[in-house]
Amino acid sequence: MNILSLIRDRFRPALSHLTEAVDPLLEMIRPAQDASFGDYQANCAMPLGKQLGLPPREVAQRLVDELDVEEFCEQPEIAGPGFINLRLKIDWLDAQLGAALSDARLGVDETSSPTVVVIDYSSPNVAKPMHVGHIRSTVIGDCLARVLRHLGHQVIGDNHLGDWGTQFGMIIYGYKHFVNMSAYRENPVMELSRLYQYVNRLVEFHAGKIKLPLQEEKITQLEGQVNEQMSVCRDTDGKQKKKQEKLLRKQQSQLAQLRKERDGLAAKLSQVTSDPDLLRVVEEHQGVGVAVLQETVRLHAGDETNLALWNEFLPKCREEIQRVYDRLDIHFDVEYGESFYHDQLAEVVDQFLDAGLARESEGAICVFLEDWEAPMIIRKKDGAFLYATTDLATIRYRMETWQPDLMLYVVDHRQSEHFSKLFTTARSWFKSEVEYRHVGFGTVLGRDGRPYRTRSGDTVGLESLLDEAVAKAHAVVVENDQRKPEPEMSDEERMQVARVVGHGAIKYADLSHNRTSDYEFDTDKMLALEGNTATYLQYSYARVQSIFRRAGAEARRHAQQVTTFDLGHPAERALALQLLRFSESLEEVLIDFRPNQLTDYLFKLAQMYSVFFEHCPVLKAETDGLRHSRLALSDLTSRAMKQGLALLGIEVVERM
Ligand code: ARG
């Protein structure tokens, strides 16, 4: 039962008698902002009036006259310039609640048009441990998979691991030249990760040394332009002056940006040159940039040593990553990774050439696209294949294997150009109906508002952050328990609760932010007992459970047998309506793949329950009937919270 869809369905015929473009008008029917006007509001009479050249109130009246909503709405009211306000009938709400009460799905129907969806998510590069940036793709993708499945779609979750790229060239090179064997035996992944960072530093140093003079040159050039532009500004008056000054400001800010970049680069270089040991190594490994690429090329060409190293490293790296997935209860249907597609790449390029979709340009094989100046390269001059080639092979494989209707890529927004090009190319290749979507997201920031890093500038390992959150959650749980007249929990239970709360806090903080914005990673805020956090919701859930514990053994059964609800108090009615809007929130999640629609819903539900609880005594209700009705509302609330959180990948605890 989706109330909003039901209302929209009833508006459809009425609207279609007045206009052809019905869908955008249907979107203007929304839940009311202010409950005193009603439960839902339709704002479509205003634009429609404009379109038809009629007064909006008259249009609203015509719509209302035709609208067939009597079975569930009071007489619609027209307000202000032409708003149509709808209030649901209390008997109808009552009946719907009764249906939800006896339904394990709480009145959320499965879709009548199931689709097949491939979700590409998490997909870390495995040569280094997971860091905080990986949390986003992992939990957003997981949540979308859960919601889609719950609504009856078929989902294939694919962890497209980066297990074949230049990072392996880095660690192979590092292993051959710098490995500390005892450290490797002790903790291979840590040593590989150190090697990765070490080699990366060498590569960056040499690249930086080439880049620095080029940057200096650009700066000198721009300084000249700025000086010239200054005199142009001096010599111009009137209308032109403003324009010239604007240009000057633009150049000046470009110059400032370039200088900043140059200073950063120079500082990085001098960090190396001021360390004599490092400097010696750097000088001994002049050609490291090329050498690393060659190690990758050798691996791809089947070189025995490199392949053996890869086979040795890969399971260790994957084990490390798997530990995080296990902790976070993340599961994939398939994890092919880039290496799986390796021997299909040559054939993909041939297909493109044969179909005339790609052609050679300066030795490389390129797909030229209408809206972009730079083509998408699918084979480099030296014969190497690229990230894009693998992605095309992956799409082909998915199409052949699952015939999906939709492919979602939950990947950092910085890759949006790659995906735009990829999708355009894939569309011209397959000419099928499949829809592609890049579900992008912003950056995880530290408290200084910059990408989250340690003081030394390294990215922060994900596991240590999970540990930190669990440790802090443990402190909160212990404190809470000790504050009770009689502490209730064993050490083991406290630890278990801390894990659920700590992991939940991290997931929820990520999911509750609008995915396209950046957010600040702050474990204290995430674990706050008040506000829009998992902790608050888990606490609210546990509180409802404690009411049932106090109410005695029969309470749950009485509650679940309720056939008519008492919704006389506004807080009861508001809570009832919110409970019935669960399915709307899930539909909202899927409109633009935004899990925060669900977190918002749950937060609001918890707040409404809290208002209800304050105004409507449950255990001390005046009559048995009222007590049962309120217990039933409580039962529904706790079930909706538990299911809602489960769809976010978050668990609940019975007490905390
Ligand atoms: N491994 C890539 C990275 O870490 C992300 C892969 C995303 N998925 C894809 N099919 N390209 O940047």
Side-chain angles (χ1 to χ4, degrees):
M1 168 74 264
N2 183 320
I3 304 175
L4 185 57
S5 308
L6 176 66
I7 296 177
R8 286 181 176 167
D9 282 348
R10 298 302 166 93
F11 265 83
R12 190 182 292 279
L15 282 168
S16 64
H17 291 152
L18 296 175
T19 179
E20 300 227 306
V22 170
D23 285 339
L25 295 172
L26 289 176
E27 310 240 315
M28 303 187 74
I29 306 168
R30 309 280 317 155
Q33 296 289 340
D34 181 343
S36 62
F37 295 130
D39 301 321
Y40 290 83
Q41 187 170 64
N43 297 348
C44 42
M46 277 72 81
L48 192 51
K50 209 167 186 185
Q51 190 188 319
L52 300 174
L54 290 171
R57 282 190 72 100
E58 192 182 314
V59 175
Q61 190 58 55
R62 280 207 211 170
L63 289 173
V64 167
D65 290 344
E66 260 200 66
L67 206 56
D68 174 18
V69 290
E70 215 188 292
E71 96 207 47
F72 59 96
C73 276
E74 309 286 354
Q75 176 59 32
E77 280 170 15
I78 298 169
F83 300 116
I84 303 170
N85 291 325
L86 302 164
R87 182 178 293 277
L88 298 163
K89 285 185 171 164
I90 203 97
D91 293 346
W92 187 80
L93 281 177
D94 181 19
Q96 300 310 311
L97 272 187
L101 189 68
S102 57
D103 177 6
R105 298 177 56 88
L106 299 168
V108 176
D109 297 328
E110 293 201 14
T111 176
S112 52
S113 42
T115 57
V116 178
V117 187
V118 173
I119 311 185
D120 182 314
Y121 68 107
S122 197
S123 312
N125 296 332
V126 299
K128 37 187 176 166
M130 286 174 91
H131 60 79
V132 67
H134 291 120
I135 190 85
R136 303 221 67 182
S137 172
T138 307
V139 303
I140 295 171
D142 179 56
C143 171
L144 296 177
R146 287 171 192 259
V147 171
L148 280 161
R149 280 196 187 106
H150 189 66
L151 294 182
H153 298 281
Q154 187 195 332
V155 174
I156 297 103
D158 186 0
N159 188 11
H160 189 70
L161 295 163
D163 59 358
W164 195 242
T166 41
Q167 318 91 27
F168 274 94
M170 295 258 203
I171 55 176
I172 290 173
Y173 185 90
Y175 186 87
K176 287 182 179 175
H177 295 91
F178 307 112
V179 71
N180 172 340
M181 236 16 223
S182 69
Y184 180 71
R185 256 180 247 119
E186 181 93 4
N187 185 338
V189 176
M190 191 132 81
E191 176 60 4
L192 291 177
S193 147
R194 183 191 71 85
L195 290 171
Y196 177 86
Q197 277 162 12
Y198 194 72
V199 175
N200 196 30
R201 230 171 142 188
L202 304 185
V203 173
E204 281 187 348
F205 178 83
H206 288 293
K209 244 176 51 186
I210 297 173
K211 197 172 167 196
L212 190 64
L214 296 177
Q215 259 184 341
E216 297 285 9
E217 211 172 287
K218 259 200 223 152
I219 289 175
T220 321
Q221 228 176 37
L222 200 54
E223 280 168 347
Q225 283 175 14
V226 167
N227 282 336
E228 231 169 81
Q229 186 61 21
M230 277 172 150
S231 63
V232 170
C233 287
R234 237 173 297 147
D235 299 342
T236 331
D237 341 274
K239 248 193 168 167
Q240 281 300 315
K241 194 174 175 84
K242 274 228 161 82
K243 216 170 136 190
Q244 296 299 345
E245 279 174 347
K246 196 170 161 196
L247 185 60
L248 175 63
R249 279 198 299 278
K250 196 172 150 199
Q251 290 175 344
Q252 281 170 329
S253 89
Q254 269 172 355
L255 183 58
Q257 180 61 28
L258 263 181
R259 284 184 176 144
K260 207 167 119 188
E261 281 172 23
R262 186 239 358 235
D263 293 346
L265 188 56
K268 246 189 177 167
L269 293 179
S270 83
Q271 250 182 25
V272 174
T273 47
S274 63
D275 178 339
D277 289 339
L278 195 54
L279 186 60
R280 190 177 42 77
V281 177
V282 153
E283 274 164 4
E284 279 167 12
H285 293 263
Q286 292 287 348
V288 61
V290 178
V292 160
L293 293 179
Q294 279 168 351
E295 294 295 7
T296 316
V297 170
R298 256 181 242 137
L299 170 67
H300 291 177
D303 173 88
E304 232 171 83
T305 315
N306 283 11
L307 208 52
L309 286 176
W310 182 78
N311 275 315
E312 179 176 328
F313 297 157
L314 187 64
K316 297 182 164 63
C317 297
R318 287 190 64 160
E319 226 172 80
E320 177 86 2
I321 288 170
Q322 189 56 40
R323 257 212 321 274
V324 174
Y325 293 142
D326 288 344
R327 279 183 77 161
L328 293 178
D329 192 22
I330 304 283
H331 308 274
F332 302 95
D333 297 293
V334 291
E335 291 183 279
Y336 290 126
E338 294 177 5
S339 61
F340 176 80
Y341 300 97
H342 179 63
D343 53 14
Q344 304 171 24
L345 302 183
E347 196 199 317
V348 166
V349 173
D350 287 343
Q351 267 191 17
F352 268 83
L353 285 168
D354 290 348
L357 292 166
R359 63 183 159 84
E360 201 209 289
S361 164
E362 294 171 39
I365 306 299
C366 303
V367 180
F368 287 89
L369 301 161
E370 230 169 67
D371 295 330
W372 283 276
E373 217 175 294
M376 192 168 80
I377 304 176
I378 56 175
R379 194 173 77 202
K380 284 202 282 194
K381 206 165 133 183
D382 63 7
F385 303 107
L386 296 96
Y387 185 50
T389 328
T390 308
D391 262 332
L392 287 168
T394 308
I395 289 178
R396 188 180 69 168
Y397 182 84
R398 288 173 180 164
M399 300 281 252
E400 283 167 3
T401 314
W402 300 295
Q403 294 91 40
D405 301 289
L406 172 65
M407 254 186 246
L408 296 179
Y409 291 80
V410 188
V411 186
D412 192 314
H413 63 14
R414 281 171 295 192
Q415 295 195 25
S416 65
E417 185 175 325
H418 165 73
F419 286 111
S420 300
K421 286 181 166 176
L422 180 69
F423 299 162
T424 309
T425 306
R427 278 184 205 114
S428 67
W429 191 19
F430 284 109
K431 304 208 172 14
S432 71
E433 287 295 293
V434 58
E435 192 188 329
Y436 303 92
R437 260 303 292 267
H438 174 207
V439 180
F441 50 78
T443 309
V444 182
L445 305 174
R447 276 187 223 176
D448 54 1
R450 321 245 335 220
Y452 197 94
R453 286 178 198 282
T454 60
R455 264 196 212 127
S456 62
D458 297 335
T459 49
V460 183
L462 191 48
E463 272 206 293
S464 65
L465 290 175
L466 297 180
D467 290 341
E468 182 192 314
V470 171
K472 283 188 178 166
H474 189 253
V476 173
V477 171
V478 170
E479 196 194 311
N480 221 14
D481 197 34
Q482 278 169 349
R483 235 188 295 135
K484 295 174 193 160
E486 247 348 284
E488 296 174 328
M489 294 188 220
S490 65
D491 283 350
E492 200 180 314
E493 185 178 352
R494 285 176 177 177
M495 205 47 235
Q496 163 61 13
V497 172
R499 269 195 295 271
V500 171
V501 172
H503 295 155
I506 288 193
K507 286 188 178 182
Y508 191 92
D510 199 290
L511 296 169
S512 60
H513 285 91
N514 191 335
R515 66 172 164 77
T516 42
S517 12
D518 300 341
Y519 79 92
E520 212 172 277
F521 193 93
D522 180 338
T523 37
D524 290 322
K525 273 194 206 152
M526 293 175 188
L527 286 160
L529 273 169
E530 293 291 326
N532 191 9
T533 63
T535 319
Y536 170 65
L537 293 177
Q538 286 164 329
Y539 186 73
S540 309
Y541 173 84
R543 202 167 67 157
V544 183
Q545 298 307 84
S546 84
I547 295 171
F548 278 99
R549 278 196 298 275
R550 267 181 288 141
E554 295 291 276
R556 190 77 74 172
R557 196 171 52 80
H558 284 310
Q560 290 183 350
Q561 282 167 353
V562 163
T563 48
T564 45
F565 286 79
D566 215 304
L567 303 176
H569 194 286
E572 286 172 319
R573 190 182 185 284
L575 177 62
L577 178 57
Q578 182 70 0
L579 284 165
L580 293 174
R581 299 192 49 205
F582 192 17
S583 75
E584 278 173 32
S585 80
L586 299 182
E587 292 293 340
E588 288 277 341
V589 169
L590 297 188
I591 289 175
D592 196 28
F593 306 105
R594 292 186 184 275
N596 65 316
Q597 298 287 357
L598 177 54
T599 59
D600 286 353
Y601 168 81
L602 292 171
F603 181 46
K604 216 163 156 191
L605 176 64
Q607 286 177 313
M608 287 185 169
Y609 186 80
S610 158
V611 172
F612 156 82
F613 192 70
E614 199 180 308
H615 291 98
C616 308
V618 178
L619 297 181
K620 296 202 174 107
E622 291 124 53
T623 64
D624 272 356
L626 194 56
R627 178 180 144 106
H628 294 159
S629 165
R630 288 178 179 169
L631 278 169
L633 284 174
S634 303
D635 176 64
L636 277 168
T637 302
S638 70
R639 285 161 60 197
M641 281 183 177
K642 185 173 176 172
Q643 272 188 27
L645 285 168
L647 292 174
L648 300 170
I650 297 173
E651 287 175 74
V652 291
V653 289
E654 295 305 302
R655 58 184 179 196
M656 62 187 271

